Amino acid sequence: QSVLTQPPSVSAAPGQKVTISCSGSSSNIGNNYVSWYQQLPGTAPKLLIYDNNKRPSGIPDRFSGSRSGTSATLGITGLQTGDEADYYCGTWDSSLSVEVFGTGTKVTVL
Amino acid sequence: QVQLQESGPGLVKTSETLSLTCTVSGGSISSYYWSWIRQPAGKGLEWLGRIYTSGGINYNPSLKSRVTMSVDTSKNQFSLRLSSVTAADTAVYYCAREDYGPLRSAFDIWGQGTMVTVSS
């Protein structure tokens, strides 16, 4: 069940910046940490951001995360053709007792 | 580094039970949470449940009556069983390690995924 809403797609030219929003509620984003995943075509998702704004080892600082209230945002600066992928937010929903993911956003580099 | 590999039948008959195993290599399965996540073609991610090596289990309530997870620490493996499958269960199934704690969760290591088709 996708209780987290993301824009279906975003696009920008190489070198530019994109932001992806993830909208939820007090039972999920509002009270639990958010993570973000990148899914390149035909591959498994990869963790990009955890605990709202932390990057795992090896993830470049072009990727950033933030949370405000019941929404979270992923930012990608210095956009590269290799960033073309689907991006998902995720968090725990305390009311549903389930891990929930966003609807997914396709990033296109123009 | 830790790697995960799913294995199991790629085709399951309608109404039967889907069984998958995830083998953990490059590290110990102990003291971690392990999850199953699936993704129908062209669609988003759905969390199926998690198991802790000490025995704690959480299932997605929407599947709770059909899903069973187990862990075999001697083989460094954990497993998924999903009963009474229908075409709606056709998806790529991923196993993943979950960094889980109070108010927080993140899937930091994923298997490559295995496609399971349900058909009569």
Side-chain angles (χ1 to χ4, degrees):
Chain A
Q1 51 271 56
S2 293
V3 298
L4 305 180
T5 302
Q6 300 179 230
S9 63
V10 297
S11 61
Q16 297 301 302
K17 175 181 179 179
V18 295
T19 60
I20 301 171
S21 60
C22 176
S23 178
S25 68
S26 59
S27 65
N28 42 67
I29 293 176
N31 284 286
N32 295 288
Y33 287 102
V34 177
S35 53
W36 287 90
Y37 304 88
Q38 176 194 60
Q39 187 174 31
L40 297 170
T43 69
K46 174 184 177 181
L47 180 64
L48 281 182
I49 298 289
Y50 67 98
D51 290 359
N52 298 334
N53 55 19
K54 297 177 183 177
R55 284 176 286 105
S57 174
I59 301 300
D61 59 7
R62 300 188 299 108
F63 295 92
S64 64
S66 64
R67 181 186 71 172
S68 178
T70 59
S71 293
T73 301
L74 173 71
I76 310 174
T77 59
L79 204 59
Q80 302 175 0
T81 55
D83 296 333
E84 286 202 330
D86 293 322
Y87 292 81
Y88 294 91
C89 56
T91 188
W92 179 254
D93 190 296
S94 305
S95 294
L96 299 174
S97 295
V98 67
E99 183 73 22
V100 292
F101 293 97
T103 48
T105 298
K106 182 175 182 59
V107 170
T108 300
V109 181
L110 301 173
Chain B
Q1 71 278 23
V2 176
Q3 293 183 311
L4 308 183
Q5 178 68 58
E6 305 90 349
S7 59
L11 181 64
V12 180
K13 292 186 182 299
T14 303
S15 80
E16 296 190 346
T17 296
L18 177 161
S19 295
L20 296 174
T21 295
C22 184
T23 300
V24 180
S25 60
S28 174
I29 197 173
S30 298
S31 303
Y32 284 101
Y33 290 84
W34 304 94
S35 281
W36 288 95
I37 296 160
R38 69 181 180 182
Q39 184 176 36
K43 296 189 178 181
L45 302 167
E46 180 183 25
W47 177 77
L48 305 183
R50 70 166 65 91
I51 187 166
Y52 186 58
T53 50
S54 296
I57 298 176
N58 299 112
Y59 295 139
N60 186 323
S62 68
L63 298 166
K64 192 171 184 178
S65 62
R66 297 198 294 132
V67 67
T68 304
M69 295 182 185
S70 60
V71 63
D72 187 337
T73 54
S74 67
K75 295 183 178 179
N76 244 29
Q77 294 177 334
F78 62 103
S79 299
L80 168 74
R81 288 172 57 86
L82 184 65
S83 63
S84 305
V85 296
T86 69
D89 296 309
T90 294
V92 174
Y93 285 75
Y94 296 101
C95 59
R97 189 178 78 173
E98 185 175 2
D99 182 8
Y100 176 69
L103 305 181
R104 59 184 303 276
S105 65
F107 302 100
D108 59 354
I109 302 174
W110 295 66
Q112 66 182 27
T114 186
M115 179 69 202
V116 178
T117 301
V118 178
S119 175
S120 56

